[in-house]
Amino acid sequence: MSEGRKILRTLGIAAAVYFVMKYLLPYVIPFLFAYVLVHLLNPVTEKIRKKLPWKKEIIVSVLLVLLLGAFLLLFYWVYCVLTEQIRKVAVNFDYYYSCFCGWIDDCCYLAERKFGVEVDEVRSFVYSSLDHATEQIRVYMIPGVFNYSVRYLKKLLDAGLFLLMLFVAVILLMKDYDEMKEKLEQYRWYGHFHRITQRMWQQGGMYMKAQGIIIGVIILLCTAGLWALGNPYFLLLGIIIGLMDALPFIGTGTVLIPMAVFLLFRGRFRMAAGYVGLFLLTYIVREFLEPRLIGAKLGIYPFVMIVVVYAGLYLYGPAGVALGPVTLLMIMEINREINKNTDEQTEK
């Protein structure tokens, strides 16, 4: 096959995958999650079934109730703490604004005194930009947090419906999982589909699982560290910093180092050292966990990964952080399967 035809075929695969991910995935995502859960829980249910004479759907129902109960308790606690911390940010916004302005003045005064640099224009530019940003926050963000309770209630109802559909789909699929799998294995297309999804699971699934573990550990470390340092927004900042650490070339230092510099200029040297220490701890933990959990990774260059994440954000919105790499991996694996099938036919 000529290079031109291979490129056209790859572009066709990319267009098809994008169409499926963009327009079909939202309609089937509960059932896709159900399939993944059944795939993960099936070995566990088989082990339990050997000890207890229960049906598989009953066992998986009990497991789902336990998992859902633990998730809802954790979600309720996180929701209560986060809303309280967001409320504190809104109430004390003017105080934090004045503190930040004071820090800007101190930096400008230090630059003038130490280096003899005139910074009036820089100060006015920073203040104008800061005023614009705070105006946007006052007009859009803070009212949005407190005034759209009806919209949040609708989202909550949608989440409840999603969980209900997921619960029912998992039970029904688990009941006939083995029989359905045997019948599907008789079709040739299922072999291609199974090999593609298996490779994606081995590479992308394990990669996402490892990243999830690392992000969770970083969030826990940041939350615990900020709480120990007496930060009143320990959970809010801990989650934000942990999620930022998942983005290529961002890391925890994007937030922790500026906070340490701010405290240093305020004369709070021990607190600044604490934030620097927290940054070093999270950096060392990621460097320790990443090679052990991820190993060879996906075989994708970091530059390509950040391009894919950016494209995913543009094409899919916030979910593109995960859907972008999944889309690329799906295109690669479908192309590999077609090439393998073509080579086998050529040899025959």
Side-chain angles (χ1 to χ4, degrees), residues 178-242:
D178 296 328
E179 183 179 347
M180 290 174 63
K181 188 176 179 181
E182 289 179 3
K183 290 184 177 180
L184 287 172
E185 287 174 350
Q186 298 174 5
Y187 298 95
R188 185 179 179 183
W189 61 266
Y190 178 76
H192 299 299
F193 174 78
H194 180 68
R195 283 191 294 271
I196 291 170
T197 54
Q198 190 174 37
R199 286 197 300 264
M200 287 185 63
W201 179 258
Q202 289 174 350
Q203 297 182 54
M206 295 300 103
Y207 177 79
M208 296 298 291
K209 177 184 176 182
Q211 286 287 7
I213 293 172
I214 294 172
I215 292 169
V217 171
I218 297 297
I219 289 176
L220 288 175
L221 286 175
C222 290
T223 302
L226 292 171
W227 175 79
L229 290 168
N231 193 303
Y233 311 110
F234 60 92
L235 182 59
L236 179 62
L237 285 175
I239 292 175
I240 292 173
I241 296 171

Side-chain angles (χ1 to χ4, degrees), residues 178-334:
D178 296 328
E179 183 179 347
M180 290 174 63
K181 188 176 179 181
E182 289 179 3
K183 290 184 177 180
L184 287 172
E185 287 174 350
Q186 298 174 5
Y187 298 95
R188 185 179 179 183
W189 61 266
Y190 178 76
H192 299 299
F193 174 78
H194 180 68
R195 283 191 294 271
I196 291 170
T197 54
Q198 190 174 37
R199 286 197 300 264
M200 287 185 63
W201 179 258
Q202 289 174 350
Q203 297 182 54
M206 295 300 103
Y207 177 79
M208 296 298 291
K209 177 184 176 182
Q211 286 287 7
I213 293 172
I214 294 172
I215 292 169
V217 171
I218 297 297
I219 289 176
L220 288 175
L221 286 175
C222 290
T223 302
L226 292 171
W227 175 79
L229 290 168
N231 193 303
Y233 311 110
F234 60 92
L235 182 59
L236 179 62
L237 285 175
I239 292 175
I240 292 173
I241 296 171
L243 293 177
M244 290 182 68
D245 186 62
L247 299 175
F249 305 110
I250 302 295
T252 58
T254 309
V255 178
L256 293 175
I257 295 301
M259 292 176 71
V261 173
F262 176 78
L263 291 168
L264 189 64
F265 274 96
R266 303 290 291 182
R268 304 178 65 181
F269 302 111
R270 289 186 179 180
M271 290 292 291
Y275 280 92
V276 172
L278 182 58
F279 161 68
L280 293 175
L281 176 62
T282 55
Y283 178 80
I284 292 171
V285 168
R286 171 170 276 279
E287 290 297 311
F288 176 79
L289 291 177
E290 201 167 46
R292 287 160 176 78
L293 294 176
I294 298 177
K297 303 184 181 180
L298 296 177
I300 301 174
Y301 294 110
F303 174 77
V304 176
M305 181 61 73
I306 196 170
V307 171
V308 168
V309 171
Y310 176 79
L313 287 169
Y314 181 79
L315 295 173
Y316 304 116
V321 175
L323 292 182
V326 170
T327 299
L328 176 63
L329 187 61
M330 189 178 295
I331 294 169
M332 292 169 57
E333 292 303 332
I334 292 175

Side-chain angles (χ1 to χ4, degrees), residues 135-149:
E135 184 64 23
Q136 295 295 314
I137 292 173
R138 291 178 188 276
V139 173
Y140 296 105
M141 293 184 62
I142 293 177
V145 172
F146 296 100
N147 294 337
Y148 294 119
S149 56

